[in-house]
Amino acid sequence: MPRRPRITLPEVAHHLIQRGNNKQACFHADQDYELFLKWLQEYAKEAACYVHAFVLMTNHVHMLVTPTTTHGVGYLMKRLGQRYVQYFNRNYQRSGSLWEGRYRSCLVQGDHYALACYRYIELNPVRASMVQRPEEYRWSSYRENARSGGSLLISPHDTYLGLADAPSTRALAYRRLFKECLAPDLICEFRSATNGNYAVGEDRFKHDIELALGRRATPGRIGRPEQVSKRQRKVEKKRGLSP
């Protein structure tokens, strides 16, 4: 079965995941993390993409990125992936694939969904029991976002900027967001949408994405079309939505 084409739109945030092949480690030493971030900054600039958040886990990577062109994310991930694999294979005297196929992605609505994605990404080390607090993990964007610093890599999303006018107040508001746990259903939504290449947000946002792309941005119903239609009619009749 052919792979479903990616859904991607300029000026819309994308949550990206790139995993190591067979869950193998992609980073062994500090230099590995440092070079990955260096090249991420370089190729994000080339691709005209804004990086809002990231975390480099041992065997996978998360990013929140907004492209300014249709092909920006694809270019960024291709160039970054190739450059890093060349370095990794040469440095560790290995050959073959490092990544588990294509990167995975989903579109993320602004407002609280974008901020939830920030938290979803930067809380990964906490959920993995690697640290107790996000600021304890060195290889994420949390420290930068939590102090609203002038990073050359991180570009704040409009929703982040809307937290407050002054940088110090904005950083304080951002830190306060992390005092509350991310809802489990929202975590599941980010995971399933990223694995399936769908959209995360309100129904109106998803509908607008589908209109803009002319393609589905939500999971399809299970079953043959005639079975789905029959099942849907029963549901609608039960709710009083059909005669």
Side-chain angles (χ1 to χ4, degrees):
M1 179 182 294
R3 294 181 296 190
R4 192 169 69 88
R6 294 186 189 282
I7 60 169
T8 181
L9 276 176
E11 311 301 338
V12 176
H14 293 53
H15 173 231
L16 312 172
I17 298 179
Q18 182 76 78
R19 298 188 181 280
N21 194 27
N22 294 322
K23 299 182 179 181
Q24 66 179 309
C26 306
F27 305 97
H28 293 305
D30 285 357
Q31 176 181 264
D32 301 342
Y33 295 94
E34 291 165 354
L35 287 174
F36 187 95
L37 293 177
K38 173 187 174 183
W39 292 326
L40 172 59
Q41 178 183 329
E42 177 182 338
Y43 293 124
K45 184 176 180 179
E46 278 189 20
C49 289
Y50 297 107
V51 179
H52 310 303
F54 68 84
V55 66
L56 309 186
M57 303 294 282
T58 307
N59 61 6
H60 67 282
V61 173
H62 289 261
M63 290 183 274
L64 182 64
V65 174
T66 296
T68 58
T69 67
T70 302
H71 304 292
V73 168
Y75 177 87
L76 165 62
M77 297 303 287
K78 181 180 179 180
R79 294 283 283 148
L80 177 60
Q82 289 177 341
R83 179 75 176 271
Y84 185 75
V85 171
Q86 289 172 359
Y87 152 77
F88 192 86
N89 284 353
R90 181 176 63 252
N91 194 57
Y92 293 105
Q93 299 180 353
R94 65 182 298 278
S95 61
S97 175
L98 175 64
W99 306 119
E100 180 189 64
R102 304 194 307 168
Y103 68 90
R104 303 185 182 191
S105 64
C106 70
L107 300 182
V108 181
Q109 184 179 349
D111 300 327
H112 67 277
Y113 285 99
L115 289 175
C117 194
Y118 269 84
R119 292 161 64 201
Y120 174 72
I121 290 171
E122 293 173 351
L123 284 171
N124 256 266
V126 178
R127 287 196 298 274
S129 299
M130 299 172 73
V131 294
Q132 292 185 329
R133 296 183 299 273
E135 63 267 27
E136 295 172 355
Y137 192 72
R138 180 179 175 186
W139 308 110
S140 88
S141 53
Y142 176 81
R143 295 181 185 179
E144 188 61 39
N145 288 320
R147 64 171 181 255
S148 196
S151 169
L152 295 177
L153 171 58
I154 297 299
S155 299
H157 189 275
D158 288 344
T159 307
Y160 174 90
L161 292 174
L163 287 171
D165 292 332
S168 59
T169 311
R170 189 182 305 138
L172 177 60
Y174 187 76
R175 293 195 298 271
R176 284 175 176 166
L177 292 175
F178 285 75
K179 292 184 178 181
E180 297 183 8
C181 296
L182 205 56
D185 59 338
L186 195 52
I187 293 175
C188 290
E189 185 175 0
F190 276 118
R191 285 174 178 165
S192 60
T194 307
N195 287 328
N197 186 216
Y198 300 122
V200 173
E202 298 173 355
D203 290 342
R204 181 58 185 270
F205 171 74
K206 297 173 183 177
H207 178 67
D208 289 345
I209 294 295
E210 291 178 338
L211 287 179
L213 296 175
R215 296 208 308 272
R216 192 162 41 82
T218 57
R221 296 187 182 94
I222 299 173
R224 295 180 179 179
E226 62 270 19
Q227 293 174 326
V228 171
S229 178
K230 187 175 181 180
R231 189 184 311 126
Q232 184 63 22
R233 285 197 297 270
K234 286 183 178 179
V235 171
E236 290 176 352
K237 188 174 182 180
K238 202 173 192 180
R239 293 178 177 175
L241 300 176
S242 65

